[in-house]
């Protein structure tokens, strides 16, 4: 795999991959290290980090173990990020593919729809979704996916426009392949690389959007989310600033790892850009 | 100039279908929400007789068919009548107008900060490409990009307001002191330093990256070689030739980011208690005042369209090819 070798040659990609693996391990080991509900009361509230070996990262103002919330929060953040990215990519790819493949009035209608979504500020749209449908975790994940698809649609459409008149597509048409088969079996695999590269951007913004929503206590309160923890810590910010500081660093590192991996993939797929 | 204007106006007309889609979607969302305006009002006044309820439903046109209500709704919006807020008992448009200046000020300052420093850092980075200065700036950019703005805002408050006591932790100007003129200006500026910086950093990172990339891209083009052969100094080439061309993608970015910045101001305004649109949006979600929330979304969409209109004009001014000369 030449691409894999290219990928691991760059220090950016190596650091990003190690960081991401670490976060995945933290997420997977959450139940093993901290079994049970991370939101249960564990001890005396507001113990500073490194003062009690039982609570390495301290406790928040309700006496919940911050380390436990951090580990379980990793799981929540990654799952939310992955599912909403998946939703955004599915919607974006389908709309972009149909738009680019059929062109004309279909393209016109779908692109006006995409523009409409792009004009509306994502985060405000998310607020509307939460206000109308409530803030259970399912709604939040779907809503983040639904507000994030327009760039994917534009990318896919552009790829389809440039690919749809190539020889292999013409050949497929003459031997009577169905449009769906042409679109998703023949053209799509060729159109995917830039979309996959863009996925890391969606993943980053999805994690940031959920944590911002949770910070405003508009996400699901029954889930150990990093944003929730930062938001709770705001109440004791004056003295015990560590309650907010620690989960914020976790968000930062997760988003950073996604960006680094994304950039690594980008550099590996576009070696021309790197050499400059 | 007239060319630019016709071009921009034509672009503005193409946004109308998108705007209509947005309006219909907002209306449908209003229908999907559990309970209507009358339910909200009844909950506030603690119920009423059924004849009064019917009367109210009639007054709010809730007894009419969906399609005629949709047409009424659109017609009202065209007249910028955004309805009545169920919670504040004031017309939504009045509240939005009250809140708009603070948000615009915050956005303009943040955009300016991000654009200026993004450009400067981008230029530095591109001039020292692949040296340690470039690496350092790029790493800083990646970290800014990955930092949640609400967390940065809190840490800023801890450090600059609580620990150092340099900057006010929240608010929008000193309360109780009736300042005027220059002193009022500096007073508000003082309060805006933290919110503006925290809102701007993410965008600064994006501008820096785009500036660096487009500088490197442009400097490989033929006309740069020509200018070098003509004997222009590298400073002259940078300022007169490369920058002007590298600015184009930067300008486009302003339009694209207007929406995300409005979204970001929800969090920032809430943290710093700034009486702006974002804060209004947050309050109306918490209080389930859907009419106000949709009003804010509508005005935000208009704002994004206007900003894009201005960006188009700027773009055409920078790149005369667009107007067809």
């Amino acid at each position: 795999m030449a691409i894999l070798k290219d990928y691991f040659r760059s220090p950016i990609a190596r650091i990003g991959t190690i960081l991401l693996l670490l976060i995945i391990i933290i997420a997977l080991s959450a139940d093993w290290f901290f079994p049970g509900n991370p939101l249960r009361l564990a001890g005396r509230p507001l113990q500073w980090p490194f003062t009690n070996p039982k609570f390495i990262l301290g406790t928040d103002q309700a006496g919940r173990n911050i380390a436990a919330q951090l580990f379980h929060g990793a799981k929540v953040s990654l799952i939310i990020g992955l599912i909403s990215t998946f939703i955004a990519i599915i919607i974006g790819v389908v709309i972009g593919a149909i738009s680019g493949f059929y062109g004309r009035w279909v393209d016109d209608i779908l692109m006006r729809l995409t523009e409409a979504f792009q004009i509306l500020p994502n985060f405000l749209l998310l607020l509307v979704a939460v206000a109308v449908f409530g803030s259970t975790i399912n709604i939040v994940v779907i809503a983040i996916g639904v507000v994030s698809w327009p760039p994917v649609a534009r990318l896919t459409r552009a790829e389809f426009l440039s690919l749809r008149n190539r020889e292999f597509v013409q050949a497929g048409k003459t031997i009577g392949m169905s449009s769906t088969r042409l679109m998703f079996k023949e053209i799509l695999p060729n159109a995917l690389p830039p979309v996959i590269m863009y996925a890391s951007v969606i993943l980053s913004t999805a994690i940031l959007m959920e944590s911002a929503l949770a910070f405003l206590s508009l996400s699901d309160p029954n889930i150990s989310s990093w944003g929730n923890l930062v938001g709770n810590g705001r109440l004791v910010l004056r003295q015990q600033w560590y309650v907010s500081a620690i989960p914020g660093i976790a968000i930062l590192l997760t988003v950073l790892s996604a960006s680094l991996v994304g950039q690594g993939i980008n550099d590996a797929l576009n070696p021309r850009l790197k050499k400059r | 100039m007239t060319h630019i204007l016709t071009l921009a106006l034509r672009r503005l007309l193409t946004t109308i279908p998108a705007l209509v889609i947005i309006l219909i979607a907002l209306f449908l969302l209003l229908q999907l929400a559990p309970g209507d305006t009358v339910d909200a009002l009844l909950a506030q006044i603690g119920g009423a007789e059924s004849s009064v309820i019917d009367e109210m439903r009639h007054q709010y046109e809730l007894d009419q068919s969906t399609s005629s209500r949709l047409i009424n709704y659109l017609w009202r919006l065209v007249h910028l009548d955004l309805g009545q807020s169920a919670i504040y008992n004031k017309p939504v448009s009045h509240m939005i107008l009250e809140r708009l200046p603070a948000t615009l000020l915050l956005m303009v300052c943040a955009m300016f900060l991000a654009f200026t420093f993004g450009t400067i850092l981008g230029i530095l980075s591109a001039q020292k490409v692949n040296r340690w200065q470039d690496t350092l700036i790029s790493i800083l950019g990646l970290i800014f990009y990955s930092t949640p703005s609400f967390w940065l805002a809190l840490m800023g408050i801890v450090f600059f307001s609580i620990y150092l006591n340099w900057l006010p932790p929240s608010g929008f100007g000193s309360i109780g002191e009736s300042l005027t003129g220059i002193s009022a200006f500096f007073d508000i500026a003082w309060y805006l330093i933290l919110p503006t910086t925290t809102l701007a950093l993410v965008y600064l990172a994006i501008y820096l990256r785009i500036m660096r990339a487009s500088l490197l891209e442009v400097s490989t083009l033929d006309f740069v070689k020509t200018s070098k052969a003509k004997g222009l100094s590298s400073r002259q080439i940078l300022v007169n030739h490369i920058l002007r061309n590298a600015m184009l993608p930067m300008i486009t970015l302003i339009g694209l980011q207007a929406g995300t910045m409005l979204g970001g101001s929800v969090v920032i305004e809430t943290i710093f208690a700034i009486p702006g649109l974002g804060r209004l949006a947050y309050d109306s979600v918490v209080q389930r005042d859907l009419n106000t929330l949709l009003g804010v979304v509508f005005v935000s969409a208009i704002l994004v369209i206007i900003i894009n209109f201005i960006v188009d004009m700027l773009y055409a001014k920078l790149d005369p090819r667009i107007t067809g000369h």
Side-chain angles (χ1 to χ4, degrees):
Chain A
M1 285 296 276
I3 286 182
L4 220 59
K5 221 170 130 189
D6 270 349
Y7 173 77
F8 281 110
R9 193 172 296 147
S10 101
I12 282 183
R14 282 202 297 262
I15 297 172
T17 313
I18 292 171
L19 207 53
L20 193 61
L21 282 178
L22 202 70
I23 293 159
I24 292 173
I25 290 170
I26 286 177
L28 291 178
S29 66
D31 281 318
W32 191 68
F33 279 119
F34 303 100
N37 185 359
L39 296 179
R40 68 158 186 265
L41 308 185
R44 197 162 48 79
L46 295 175
Q47 303 181 47
W48 274 76
F50 312 116
T51 52
N52 183 345
K54 238 178 103 191
F55 309 111
I56 298 233
L57 295 176
T59 53
D60 65 8
Q61 69 266 41
R64 294 174 296 203
N65 187 353
I66 291 181
Q69 292 184 72
L70 207 66
F71 271 61
H72 285 270
K75 200 167 58 183
V76 170
S77 275
L78 286 182
I79 292 176
I80 289 174
L82 286 176
I83 299 179
S84 32
T85 305
F86 185 72
I87 294 174
I89 290 203
I90 295 288
I91 302 177
V93 161
V94 168
I95 289 189
I98 293 176
S99 196
F101 187 80
Y102 289 105
R104 286 185 296 189
W105 62 270
V106 180
D107 183 39
D108 270 341
I109 290 179
L110 290 179
M111 279 304 109
R112 291 297 95 80
L113 186 73
T114 313
E115 269 163 30
F117 266 86
Q118 280 189 310
I119 289 172
L120 287 170
N122 279 356
F123 197 72
L124 284 181
L125 214 52
L126 199 57
L127 289 185
V128 174
V130 168
V132 172
F133 301 108
S135 52
T136 54
I137 195 66
N138 295 340
I139 298 288
V140 171
V141 168
I142 294 171
I144 294 177
V146 167
V147 302
S148 312
W149 62 265
V152 182
R154 286 188 172 271
L155 260 176
T156 315
R157 173 177 175 268
E159 289 293 311
F160 266 68
L161 281 179
S162 77
L163 288 169
R164 69 169 177 187
N165 291 322
R166 295 278 179 82
E167 287 86 355
F168 72 94
V169 182
Q170 300 294 349
K173 260 186 204 157
T174 44
I175 61 170
M177 274 188 193
S178 72
S179 300
T180 358
R181 172 125 195 236
L182 268 175
M183 279 160 68
F184 293 107
K185 285 256 168 74
E186 304 297 324
I187 306 181
L188 189 60
N190 292 292
L192 268 186
V195 174
I196 290 170
M197 233 145 41
Y198 194 74
S200 76
V201 176
I202 304 182
L203 184 72
S204 308
T205 41
I207 291 175
L208 284 173
M209 266 199 272
E210 194 279 329
S211 63
L213 209 57
F215 170 76
L216 294 172
S217 26
L218 297 176
S219 184
D220 203 324
N222 304 315
I223 277 172
S224 167
S225 156
W226 290 335
N228 272 335
L229 197 53
V230 180
N232 290 337
R234 203 179 146 195
L235 302 170
V236 290
L237 193 65
R238 226 155 244 289
Q239 302 296 326
Q240 287 81 16
W241 49 266
Y242 66 87
V243 181
S244 283
I246 295 170
I249 294 172
I251 302 171
L252 197 165
L253 289 177
T254 310
V255 175
L256 185 66
S257 71
S259 306
L260 290 174
V261 168
Q263 190 156 7
I265 298 176
N266 191 16
D267 290 347
L269 289 177
N270 289 324
R272 191 177 63 88
L273 290 174
K274 207 173 53 178
K275 280 193 196 105
R276 264 216 303 270
Chain B
M1 193 60 203
T2 45
H3 275 275
I4 298 177
L5 206 61
T6 15
L7 188 90
L9 279 176
R10 209 181 306 143
R11 284 269 286 115
L12 205 57
L13 283 178
T14 59
T15 55
I16 286 179
L19 198 58
V20 172
I21 295 177
I22 291 173
L23 292 175
I24 293 174
L26 291 183
F27 176 78
L28 291 177
L29 276 170
L30 205 56
Q31 307 305 307
L32 282 174
D36 52 32
T37 321
V38 172
D39 290 329
L41 286 172
L42 286 176
Q44 258 191 333
I45 57 178
E49 278 181 48
S50 64
S51 63
V52 180
I53 296 176
D54 286 344
E55 177 96 356
M56 284 166 80
R57 287 232 143 81
H58 181 69
Q59 197 192 330
Y60 283 94
E61 298 168 354
L62 290 171
D63 52 351
Q64 295 175 24
S65 72
T66 311
S67 55
S68 77
R69 283 213 316 267
L70 173 62
I71 290 166
N72 280 337
Y73 179 77
L74 294 181
W75 186 240
R76 281 197 290 117
L77 286 185
V78 170
H79 292 99
L80 290 180
D81 173 7
L82 301 174
Q84 195 83 6
S85 156
I87 307 292
Y88 298 94
N89 208 11
K90 273 202 282 187
V92 172
S93 50
H94 285 201
M95 289 193 323
I96 289 179
L97 278 181
E98 272 171 27
R99 304 292 195 104
L100 200 54
T103 299
L104 283 181
L105 186 64
L106 182 67
M107 271 179 74
V108 169
C109 291
M111 200 65 99
F112 179 75
L113 198 73
F115 195 89
T116 318
F117 285 92
T119 308
I120 294 174
L121 287 175
I123 294 174
L124 281 177
S125 202
Q127 283 186 328
K128 306 273 183 195
V129 66
N130 291 335
R131 305 249 287 275
W132 66 266
Q133 294 96 330
D134 178 31
T135 315
L136 182 72
I137 292 174
S138 298
I139 290 173
L140 268 182
L142 272 171
I143 291 176
F144 290 161
Y145 179 77
S146 311
T147 312
S149 58
F150 58 87
W151 181 73
L152 200 68
L154 292 188
M155 295 303 112
I157 292 174
V158 168
F159 193 71
F160 292 106
S161 308
I162 297 172
Y163 184 66
L164 291 174
N165 206 7
W166 284 356
L167 296 168
S170 71
F172 189 62
S174 310
I175 300 169
E177 296 170 45
S178 47
L179 299 164
T180 46
I182 289 289
S183 51
F185 172 80
F186 279 114
D187 186 52
I188 288 182
W190 195 239
Y191 277 83
L192 270 180
I193 292 177
L194 264 184
T196 310
T197 322
T198 42
L199 184 60
L201 272 183
V202 178
Y203 304 94
L204 194 157
I206 301 172
Y207 281 123
L208 141 71
R209 205 189 291 181
I210 298 290
M211 191 66 198
R212 179 181 177 276
S214 63
L215 274 181
L216 293 179
E217 177 91 42
V218 174
S219 53
T220 60
L221 297 180
D222 284 338
F223 74 88
V224 177
K225 286 178 201 150
T226 316
S227 324
K228 254 183 212 153
K230 276 196 321 193
L232 291 181
S233 73
S234 50
R235 194 194 156 81
Q236 276 172 314
I237 299 177
L238 178 73
V239 174
N240 295 334
H241 296 279
I242 301 183
L243 267 186
R244 191 186 168 109
N245 285 284
M247 274 299 170
L248 291 175
M250 300 277 284
I251 302 274
T252 326
L253 219 53
I254 297 184
L256 289 175
Q257 288 179 342
T260 27
M261 208 169 229
L262 270 168
S265 66
V266 174
V267 179
I268 295 298
E269 286 175 11
T270 309
I271 294 177
F272 290 101
I274 295 172
L277 271 193
R279 169 92 210 192
L280 185 63
Y282 172 75
D283 288 342
S284 42
V285 177
V286 173
Q287 295 167 322
R288 303 271 166 228
D289 185 357
L290 214 55
N291 221 357
T292 308
L293 181 61
L294 293 184
V296 174
V297 174
F298 176 66
V299 170
S300 305
I302 302 274
L303 218 59
V304 172
I305 291 175
I306 293 175
I307 293 172
N308 275 299
F309 176 73
I310 297 171
V311 165
D312 278 349
M313 307 258 289
L314 270 176
Y315 203 105
K317 237 183 150 38
L318 270 175
D319 189 353
R321 278 174 304 182
I322 292 173
T323 47
H325 283 298

